[in-house]
Amino acid sequence: IVPDTLNDYKMVVTWGKPLQPGLTIFNITWKECIEECWMDSNCVLVYDTSPTCQKYSIELIDTVEKLPPNSGNRVAFRVLRRENTCFGPVNDPLLKQGTVYVIHSDVQRDSTIYVINQYIPINITLENSIWTFTQRHQAFACPNLATPIRRGNNIWCMVVMATGNCINRTQADASCVSMYNRSVAGVANKEEYEFLKNAALNYLTNPSDYTAPPGYTRLGFWIDGIRKTECKYPSTIGVSCNGTNEFYYNDSFAQTPALDWNTGQPDGLSKRTNDDCVALLVQTGKSGIEDIGCDVTEMPESKLCMVGYYCGKSIGPDTWNLI
C-alpha cells in the first residue's frame, strides 16, 4: 500500500508445494506467472504446474511444504522487501533452514471484488519445513471510495472525493469533517501525491453526474495549506516568504508536504492576490499544485470547477514491526 510501490515487492522462487489446491489456473509460462503475481496486490503465492500455473490469494492458502530441488516442484512467494537487492538462496530469511523464521508481507484487496478496500498484513512462518500463512492483524477496512494508506506508524483510510458540485475550501473542510472529523489532508510524500493526482485525473477522464458538473475541462481538489498571515499582501517576497514556505500546514503527518507546484506557482504574493489556499488542479496533459482563493468555487473563464478534496482518518496502528 502507499507509500510502498510495486518495486518494494519481490518474488522469492524456491522449491515447494502448496498443501491446498489452487482455484485460479493460468495457461501461461512460469515467468509470466511470476509477473502476474508480482503485479497483483492480492496475490501471495504462485505454483508451477507447467504448462499451467496456479495463483493463490491469502484466503486460498494456509501452508506450503518446503521441498528439495530434485522434487521438481516450484513456488514463488510475493513478499514486501524494501531493500533494493535480493538476499540470494543462502541468506534469504524466507529460505533459511531452522526452527522458526517469520517474514512480513501484506495484501491489498480492491473494492470492486471485495465490496470494501482492505489492507491485510500477513506473516509467512517457516517451521519444520512447512511455511504457514497467518494474518498478523485483522484486516484494515475502508469504505469503497477510500483506500488504505500507511502514514507514519498508522494505517489511514484516505479518499480523493469528487462531489459533483463546485465547492470552496470551507465547504470542502465541512464535508471532510462530516466524514472523518478532520479538515482536508496534506500530501505526506511523493507516493501520496501520485495517488492523489491519479485519482483526480481519473475523475477528469471518466466524469459522471455524481463527480463533476458538465462543461468544465479543469478540475480542482482542495488540500491542506493556508497562507501564513505574515506572507499575505502587503508583505513582500523575502527569506521567510519566498514561495513554498508561505503556507501553514495543519496536517501533522504532512508538515513538509510533497507538492509538485506548477511553473510560477505559488504566485499569490507576487501578484498581490488573496490566493491563500492550496489545491491540485488537473486538466488534459497537465496537472500540478497552485495557490488559489479560499472562497473560489469555479473560474468559468478557464473552465475550472473546484470539485473535490483530499482527506482521511487513522484506523489503527501499523503492524509492520510486529510479529
Side-chain angles (χ1 to χ4, degrees):
I1 63 174
V2 173
D4 293 316
T5 67
L6 187 59
N7 288 331
D8 291 314
Y9 291 85
K10 310 295 189 294
M11 296 298 297
V12 180
V13 181
T14 188
W15 305 104
K17 180 180 180 179
L19 298 181
Q20 292 77 39
L23 297 180
T24 305
I25 300 174
F26 294 99
N27 188 22
I28 56 179
T29 67
W30 177 234
K31 180 181 179 181
E32 291 170 334
C33 188
I34 292 172
E35 292 177 350
E36 170 72 24
C37 183
W38 177 61
M39 297 180 67
D40 183 355
S41 63
N42 193 42
C43 181
V44 296
L45 182 85
V46 285
Y47 176 43
D48 185 5
T49 53
S50 297
T52 63
C53 80
Q54 298 179 14
K55 186 172 74 170
Y56 289 80
S57 54
I58 188 61
E59 66 269 19
L60 297 178
I61 187 71
D62 294 319
T63 49
V64 178
E65 182 181 4
K66 183 176 174 64
L67 297 174
N70 61 10
S71 68
N73 291 285
R74 289 188 296 184
V75 293
F77 294 84
R78 186 179 192 265
V79 298
L80 179 56
R81 290 278 177 78
R82 296 184 177 112
E83 298 87 357
N84 291 327
T85 59
C86 292
F87 292 105
V90 176
N91 297 316
D92 195 301
L94 183 70
L95 306 181
K96 284 184 177 180
Q97 294 284 357
T99 305
V100 177
Y101 286 95
V102 179
I103 304 300
H104 292 334
S105 194
D106 56 26
V107 168
Q108 186 172 358
R109 290 173 165 175
D110 187 83
S111 63
T112 57
I113 300 174
Y114 292 94
V115 182
I116 57 176
N117 292 315
Q118 301 177 57
Y119 163 66
I120 304 175
I122 61 175
N123 290 334
I124 307 172
T125 305
L126 174 60
E127 184 174 8
N128 298 325
S129 294
I130 298 292
W131 285 288
T132 303
F133 289 85
T134 55
Q135 285 189 214
R136 68 176 182 270
H137 192 280
Q138 67 183 26
F140 294 92
C142 296
N144 61 355
L145 292 178
T147 300
I149 285 180
R150 184 179 289 108
R151 305 185 103 209
N153 295 320
N154 291 273
I155 304 299
W156 287 59
C157 286
M158 302 298 296
V159 62
V160 182
M161 182 67 74
T163 65
N165 298 294
C166 303
I167 62 173
N168 60 32
R169 169 61 191 270
T170 299
Q171 292 169 312
D173 277 334
S175 294
C176 197
V177 168
S178 69
M179 286 196 304
Y180 293 136
N181 200 31
R182 296 178 63 90
S183 59
V184 296
V187 184
N189 47 58
K190 63 180 182 180
E191 291 81 13
E192 263 194 46
Y193 180 80
E194 287 300 308
F195 167 75
L196 167 65
K197 181 183 71 174
N198 290 337
L201 286 169
N202 185 61
Y203 286 125
L204 180 71
T205 56
N206 299 286
S208 73
D209 292 341
Y210 301 102
T211 59
Y216 295 95
T217 59
R218 303 171 69 212
L219 300 181
F221 295 81
W222 298 103
I223 60 175
D224 183 37
I226 298 290
R227 186 177 297 278
K228 299 174 183 176
T229 301
E230 62 269 28
C231 294
K232 294 182 179 181
Y233 179 76
S235 297
T236 57
I237 295 176
V239 175
S240 59
C241 300
N242 62 0
T244 58
N245 69 345
E246 298 173 11
F247 299 88
Y248 169 77
Y249 300 103
N250 183 59
D251 188 341
S252 60
F253 287 88
Q255 286 297 291
T256 54
L259 303 179
D260 186 10
W261 293 88
N262 279 331
T263 302
Q265 293 290 324
D267 63 358
L269 184 56
S270 61
K271 290 187 175 180
R272 300 181 178 183
T273 68
N274 62 343
D275 290 352
D276 295 337
C277 284
V278 180
L280 170 69
L281 306 184
V282 296
Q283 65 188 81
T284 301
K286 181 180 179 180
S287 62
I289 303 298
E290 298 193 10
D291 57 352
I292 189 169
C294 302
D295 59 349
V296 170
T297 60
E298 62 176 333
M299 293 181 177
E301 68 281 3
S302 62
K303 296 185 177 181
L304 169 67
C305 175
M306 299 301 297
V307 75
Y309 51 87
Y310 182 51
C311 72
K313 69 173 182 178
S314 173
I315 55 174
D318 191 11
T319 63
W320 178 249
N321 294 319
L322 302 180
I323 295 178

